[in-house]
Each structure stands twice: as C-alpha cells, then as structure tokens.
Amino acid sequence: MAEEIIRLVNIAKEFHGVQVLDHINLQIFRNEFVTLLGPSGCGKTTTLRIIGGFESPSSGDLLFEGERINEVPSFKRRVNTVFQNYALFPHLNVFENIAFGLRISKLNNKQIARKVTEALELVNLRGYEKRGIHSLSGGQQQRVAIARAVVNEPEVLLLDEPLAALDLKLRKEMQIELKNIQKRLGITFIFVTHDQEEALTMSDTIVVMKDGRIQQIGQPIDIYNEPKNMFVADFIGASTILPGRFIQDFHVFFADRAFDCVDKGFAPQEEVDVVIRPEDVKLVAPEDGMLQGVVTSVVFKGVHYEMLVESGDIVWKVHSTLMEPVGSNVGMVILPNDIHVMKKVAS
Amino acid sequence: MRFLKKSYLGLIFLFLYAPILILIIFSFNASKSRGAWGGFTLDWYRQLFQDDALLTSLYNTIVIAIVASIVATLLGTIAAIGIYRMKGFRKSFMINLTYLPILNPDIVTAISFMLLLIYLKIPRGMLSLLLAHITFCLPFVIISVLPKLRQLDPQIYDAALDLGATPKRAYFSVILPQILPGIFAGFLLAFTMSIDDFVISYFTTGNGVSNLSISIYSMARRGINPKINAVLTILFVGILALMFFINRRVNTNSSKKERGNV
Ligand SMILES: Nc1ncnc2c1ncn2[C@@H]1O[C@H](COP(=O)(O)OP(=O)(O)OP(=O)(O)O)[C@@H](O)[C@H]1O
Ligand SMILES: [Mg+2]
C-alpha cells in the first residue's frame, strides 16, 4: 500500500539499567495518523523522543525513508514536535515563536511573514502576531505550538499528548481541528495519548503499548473488535472480561455454562480469557435467556443506558437503549460472534 | 506608642544613613577637626584632585571592579551552565565547591592567595590583584545564574533543536535571554564585592599598586584626612547613580512585560 516513511527496528532503551522500551518494531507510512496509546509510564514519550532525536536508543535502528538516522542530531531531522507542555519561547511573541525555525533556514523577511500568516490562518489565530505567550489561553498556546511546528513543513509531526491540558469541550474541538490540519497538510502525524476514545476517533492506526512493549498494532475498528489480549481489551473499552476454559474448537466454557463461539485453535481444557463488550449482551425475558440475573444499577449515558446485571458471582456490564429498572429479573443472550476468546496472559 | 509605630521605619533609616550623611557633610567641612563644623568649603575636593596617589587608587578600584566583574560574569555563566547540565553526585559536589569560597573567611582566602602567588612566583601587583578579584567574584556569579537555569523548562532547549537550531544557537537565542536577569544580578554582585574588598586586596597586591581601600587604610594610620571623606562621597554618589540607572532599566523592562509584548 502506502510508502513507508519511518521504521523502528528492534528499538530498545534503558535508563540506568531499567528497560523502558523492549525491542519495539514499528512501521509508519506517509500521510498516516498513528497513535501511540498506553497507560502512564509505558514508554510513549520515550519512543517519540527517540524519533525526534532527543534520546538515542540503547540498541536497534531508526530508519527514515529507509536510511538509518540513529546518529543524525535532532536539528537535522525532517521531523518537528509539539511538546507535551508546548515549550513555547516565553521571551518571544507569537510571531517570533512561529518564525523561529524559518529564521534558522535563512528565509527573507517577506517569505517569513507570508508563511507565519499562513500558519496562523491554519490554526485560526490571525491577528495574534504581536501577543505575548503568557497572555494566551491554554488552547491558544497549543495552537501556536502546532503552528510553530508545521510552518517548517516537516514530513512527520510528533505530538506528545497535545490535548491533555485542555477541558473536554475544547479537547473535542481540537481533535477535529487536528485531524483537519493533518488532512490539509498531507503529512504523517505520530500522536501520543493515554485516552482510548481520543485514539479511536482520530487515528488511522493505533499502537497499544504496555511496559515498553507493543501489545497490538491495527486500525481502530480491529483493535476495538478484535483485541489481541486481555490488556488491550481492558484498556480499549469497558468490556466484561471473564476467566474461561476452552472445550474444543467453537466451544468455550465460562459463567458456569458452555457457549458456542467462532474461535478455534486453542488446546482442549486450556485456560483462556473471554471478552464480551457491553453492547453485545442482549437483554431478554428471564425464561428466554442463556443466563439470568438481577439489575443492580442503571446509569443514563446520553445515547444508551449502562446497566450492571448480577448473575451468580459475575457482574455484567450491559449497554442498551431500552432501560430495565433496578431490581428486575432479566435474561441475557450472547451470540457466538460476540464472544472473544483470548490467550491468557500473565499480567 | 503610636508615635513609635510611625517613627519605627524612620529610626531604622536614620541609623542606616546617618553615618553616610555625616561623611558627606564633613567632606564639605572647612575645619580640619573631626568633631566641629567650621563652615562650608570645597577645599578637600580641590586637594583630592591634586592627590595623584589617591586618584590612582580610585582609578585602580574602578578598573579592577569593571574588568574583574566582566570576566567573572563570563566565566561564571559558562560554569553555571556546565553545573546545570551535570547530574547526581557530581552536580551537588560542584555546587558545594561553589559555596565554600563564599563561606570561607576573607582572611583565609587572602592568605592562601598570597601563599599561592609566592609559590608560583607570580609578581604581586595589578595582575595578581585582578586575578584574585576575578577568582573571589566567580562563585557569586554562579550562585546568581544557577537558580535562573533551574527555573527553565528543559523542553525549551529541545524545542529549539527541534526547530533546527544547533546547540550553540539554542543556547544563545533561547537559554541566554531567559537567564539574563540572573547574569545581570551576578555581574552587579561581583562588581560591588570587588569594590568592597580590602582584606584580599591587601594581601595580594604589591609593588606600590593599591586600590582605594588600601590607600585609605594607610592614610588613616596617620590620622583621618578630610580628603578621604571627599573621595568616599564621590564613590557613594557614583553607586547611587548606578542604582538609579538600574532601577529605571528594571522598571521599563517589567512594564514592557506587563503589556505582553517583550
Ligand atoms: N530521563 C529518564 N531517566 C530515567 N528514567 C526515565 C527517563 N525518561 C523516562 N524514564 C522512565 O521511563 C519510563 C517510560 O517513560 P515515558 O515518559 O516514555 O512514559 P509515557 O508513556 O510517556 O508516560 P506518560 O503517559 O506518563 O507521559 C518511565 O518509567 C520513566 O520513569
Ligand atoms: Mg509522556
């Protein structure tokens, strides 16, 4: 398909003997919106800093358009970064912040003025040229940081949790705006977040990380529907995850009974994890259900109701547009297609 | 009680400034007596400007203060950046090493300097005096610059590199403007320390080269001459002018910042 722009080959990183990145392999394509997703401390920033040239890997190769760039200093890489706390220059105004990279590449004043104006237009900040950095709101500073990076026309833009400091509403707006900017400029974005919803809505490809290892790489749909292991399933969505036992191909035992499923290839009697998404549990009359339970809580979530159904010693999370009152007896049906059997991982 | 409350600050300033006021008044005293007022005169100033030895030592003091504080500011700033980039034990060791000369009594520093100069066979005079002043000013610059560096957002340096600046350019165009107030404060501290110094100067100079404090000390042994009052008044007024100049600068800078476009 698309043309490769960056590749990480067996990249490892240690800080004082502690392994922070454990042999990362990752291929990134031109114009792709890639998101590194994972909990705090899993090595997202470190990965980004290695690509940006602020940290060198302990071992492994970093390739840019097929060429090894491990030793190329950051100021020579065709990559720009939007830092976690923006890192704007406080002694310079908005115009000079954005012009910083252009002045280094020795453009004349007219070219600089034109490019800065274009960049400000891109982030909806025309007229802010003369403003000091400290007089801007968080969202405005964030846009200046984006403008300062994209004005240099990098081939790859690295963004380290750029939206983390914004409130929910502004965050949603900026998500859309960022996505538009990426499409308009046609450049590669490598985006870091620990917010799974943000990752799912914005990305072409999601890289789920944990403890310095890549857990799964895939399109949002695939990661959501086919999580590779329990960690990914748990991190990506609020699924119900149950311990189970594989009986034979297409049959699995959990919640005190056998179910039909679409999975195969596990050993008979193998201990497995079973993941079921809340929207895949259908509520029916008690006598029609595969399982019976009692509703213990109901929360309205805007579009659907989130209900907790207690059945034996298992609490099921159920999403439905129809509400069952607390205390009512219900039956539950789970179709074979909606049962995800996964290898048990030592966590 | 209320009177005391109101006059408290006044009393403090009276105690602080009364000696200087007396000094200034007596520099215009026609009587050579140190206690009585004998009418107004500019004689002492006239005499002062004919006293080549005293003028030379005033000149030495100022030249040494300027040269020593400039050199110490340059070296000290570079040293502070070096310490800032160190890590762990080495860093805290270097910081303590910086503080030690400040806490060390002047007399210890002075005698050690003298011994070192003798040991290295460096002739004592202008050069040795200058070297000594640069050395004892150095720590004051470092401790003024270091806090400014610590306040920096470390990502700012990375951001400059990210935008294509070489490390050298990143330091000059991003780090330096932000630690400038610290550098300036260090320079002033070094300057006043140098003007102030008697003990170290006394033991590190020689060959008839003396600064103001040494000259006054040797004159005072023969009794205080009102010429001394005159030269000290000039020095005080000079420092006062310097302070006004700095205050004006700082004020215009900060009001610029408040308007939001530095
Ligand atoms: N300079 C450093 N020296 C020592 N340890 C470091 C350094 N930088 C990062 N680490 C460690 O490496 C691990 C990964 O850090 P990293 O900043 O990459 O995590 P992250 O995924 O970006 O987390 P967050 O979501 O909190 O930003 C952490 O355990 C961190 O303590
Ligand atoms: Mg991080």
Side-chain angles (χ1 to χ4, degrees):
Chain A
M1 57 171 248
E3 190 188 340
E4 171 192 301
I5 184 154
I6 283 181
R7 180 140 53 128
L8 281 69
V9 185
N10 271 322
I11 293 274
K13 179 70 185 173
E14 282 179 20
F15 285 114
H16 317 294
V18 180
Q19 186 100 345
V20 169
L21 290 181
D22 189 1
H23 300 89
I24 298 277
N25 285 290
L26 180 60
Q27 200 180 12
I28 293 165
F29 298 97
R30 217 173 264 288
N31 298 351
E32 200 179 359
F33 195 120
V34 183
T35 299
L36 305 182
L37 173 69
S40 191
C42 70
K44 307 180 295 288
T45 297
T46 307
T47 308
L48 218 57
R49 286 176 62 81
I50 286 174
I51 298 173
F54 308 114
E55 214 78 74
S56 52
S58 309
S59 68
D61 295 320
L62 176 64
L63 307 183
F64 190 91
E65 294 176 339
E67 270 174 54
R68 189 172 183 277
I69 57 162
N70 284 37
E71 272 76 41
V72 177
S74 54
F75 55 91
K76 287 193 183 145
R77 295 189 186 184
R78 281 176 289 162
V79 168
N80 282 116
T81 309
V82 177
F83 290 86
Q84 194 153 0
N85 298 315
Y86 318 142
L88 298 173
F89 305 129
H91 62 294
L92 300 176
N93 63 20
V94 170
F95 185 96
E96 286 304 324
N97 261 278
I98 298 173
F100 190 88
L102 302 174
R103 295 211 187 279
I104 287 167
S105 41
K106 298 213 167 64
L107 295 180
N108 66 37
N109 282 339
K110 233 168 111 187
Q111 289 168 311
I112 290 176
R114 204 193 68 232
K115 288 198 174 215
V116 171
T117 309
E118 278 172 14
L120 281 170
E121 236 157 56
L122 186 73
V123 296
N124 278 327
L125 278 182
R126 277 212 74 169
Y128 282 75
E129 288 85 347
K130 292 279 177 298
R131 292 279 289 270
I133 293 307
H134 293 297
S135 73
L136 300 179
S137 74
Q140 290 166 341
Q141 290 188 17
Q142 205 259 328
R143 284 183 238 199
V144 174
I146 293 171
R148 184 180 69 174
V150 300
V151 79
N152 304 293
E153 297 165 14
E155 309 210 18
V156 178
L157 189 65
L158 310 176
L159 303 103
D160 194 355
E161 307 205 26
L163 309 181
L166 308 181
D167 64 53
L168 192 67
K169 186 166 169 291
L170 194 55
R171 209 181 156 115
K172 297 272 178 223
E173 283 171 23
M174 284 306 302
Q175 286 177 1
I176 295 165
E177 216 164 306
L178 266 183
K179 192 75 194 166
N180 286 339
I181 289 173
Q182 190 243 348
K183 282 204 196 112
R184 227 175 314 159
L185 296 176
I187 59 177
T188 310
F189 271 38
I190 306 179
F191 185 89
V192 163
T193 182
H194 57 244
D195 180 335
Q196 78 284 358
E197 202 185 311
E198 196 165 280
L200 289 169
T201 53
M202 296 178 80
S203 323
D204 298 322
T205 304
I206 296 179
V207 179
V208 186
M209 294 177 68
K210 181 201 176 204
D211 296 340
R213 280 196 209 131
I214 293 182
Q215 304 292 315
Q216 187 169 1
I217 303 177
Q219 293 177 8
I221 281 275
D222 296 337
I223 299 238
Y224 190 79
N225 286 335
E226 303 290 336
K228 238 187 194 158
N229 59 38
M230 191 166 130
F231 172 79
V232 177
D234 193 28
F235 199 78
I236 276 290
S239 308
T240 306
I241 300 169
L242 301 167
R245 184 161 43 79
F246 206 68
I247 303 169
Q248 62 184 76
D249 284 356
F250 311 118
H251 294 283
V252 63
F253 184 94
F254 62 94
D256 286 330
R257 60 162 290 174
F259 286 83
D260 290 341
C261 64
V262 294
D263 297 270
K264 57 180 175 143
F266 294 90
Q269 303 307 318
E270 184 177 339
E271 301 281 330
V272 290
D273 284 317
V274 178
V275 174
I276 291 145
R277 306 213 155 270
E279 64 271 27
D280 291 339
V281 180
K282 315 262 179 312
L283 295 184
V284 293
E287 58 278 13
D288 297 334
M290 300 159 117
L291 298 162
Q292 283 74 35
V294 181
V295 177
T296 57
S297 117
V298 178
V299 178
F300 185 56
K301 290 275 188 171
V303 181
H304 59 261
Y305 294 91
E306 179 170 298
M307 288 165 276
L308 297 181
V309 179
E310 214 173 288
S311 163
D313 50 6
I314 298 166
V315 177
W316 295 84
K317 201 175 280 171
V318 182
H319 287 179
S320 168
T321 48
L322 298 176
M323 197 264 282
E324 296 289 338
V326 171
S328 55
N329 287 305
V330 292
M332 291 178 283
V333 170
I334 304 160
L335 300 178
N337 237 332
D338 297 330
I339 294 171
H340 306 288
V341 179
M342 294 181 313
K343 245 190 163 41
K344 216 172 185 80
V345 282
S347 55
Chain B
M1 196 61 207
R2 191 189 272 161
F3 168 75
L4 209 68
K5 234 191 234 166
K6 276 193 172 159
S7 53
Y8 179 71
L9 210 62
L11 274 173
I12 287 188
F13 278 108
L14 188 68
F15 277 119
L16 275 176
Y17 284 97
I20 295 170
L21 209 64
I22 304 264
L23 174 89
I24 293 173
I25 291 168
F26 275 74
S27 72
F28 299 107
N29 188 2
S31 144
K32 207 176 174 182
S33 139
R34 259 175 279 165
W37 180 250
F40 181 86
T41 181
L42 284 175
D43 266 2
W44 306 119
Y45 287 88
R46 221 166 285 134
Q47 280 192 33
L48 168 67
F49 285 106
Q50 282 154 10
D51 187 337
D52 282 342
L54 203 55
L55 282 183
T56 308
S57 61
L58 178 64
Y59 171 81
N60 285 347
T61 295
I62 290 170
V63 167
I64 285 173
I66 290 173
V67 176
S69 54
I70 287 175
V71 175
T73 302
L74 282 175
L75 296 178
T77 302
I78 295 167
I81 290 173
I83 293 173
Y84 166 69
R85 296 194 57 169
M86 287 178 174
K87 291 202 170 68
F89 172 75
R90 272 157 61 90
K91 184 172 189 161
S92 53
F93 183 72
M94 286 309 295
I95 290 175
N96 284 326
L97 219 56
T98 308
Y99 273 106
L100 200 58
I102 294 177
L103 301 175
N104 209 6
D106 272 0
I107 186 68
V108 177
T109 312
I111 301 288
S112 336
F113 263 130
M114 187 184 71
L115 292 176
L116 183 74
L117 291 172
I118 293 169
Y119 179 74
L120 293 179
K121 300 197 171 59
I122 297 175
R124 276 183 286 158
M126 192 68 170
L127 184 69
S128 63
L129 198 57
L130 197 57
L131 285 176
H133 276 238
I134 291 170
T135 312
F136 79 73
C137 286
L138 208 53
F140 292 99
V141 177
I142 297 177
I143 62 161
S144 307
V145 177
L146 260 184
K148 282 283 161 207
L149 283 164
R150 283 208 202 97
Q151 285 166 17
L152 281 183
D153 173 1
Q155 285 194 338
I156 286 201
Y157 176 71
D158 288 345
L161 296 188
D162 186 74
L163 295 167
T166 57
K168 201 170 102 198
R169 181 156 187 168
Y171 268 106
F172 276 102
S173 60
V174 174
I175 306 287
L176 202 61
Q178 290 186 72
I179 61 171
L180 212 53
I183 295 174
F184 193 57
F187 169 78
L188 282 181
L189 201 56
F191 186 79
T192 50
M193 284 295 160
S194 170
I195 286 198
D196 224 25
D197 177 70
F198 167 68
V199 179
I200 297 173
S201 306
Y202 187 76
F203 286 98
T204 51
T205 189
N207 287 324
V209 177
S210 61
N211 63 8
L212 199 57
S213 53
I214 295 172
S215 298
I216 291 172
Y217 176 73
S218 51
M219 280 168 77
R221 281 193 299 195
R222 285 175 271 126
I224 291 279
N225 182 311
K227 261 193 293 189
I228 295 173
N229 299 345
V231 71
L232 292 180
T233 301
I234 289 175
L235 196 61
F236 176 74
V237 171
I239 297 285
L240 205 65
L242 189 67
M243 204 179 79
F244 271 113
F245 168 72
I246 291 160
N247 262 342
R248 285 225 0 229
R249 257 196 62 133
V250 171
N251 284 343
T252 47
N253 269 351
S254 53
S255 59
K256 249 199 223 162
K257 248 183 208 137
E258 269 150 32
R259 267 184 274 125
N261 45 5
V262 183

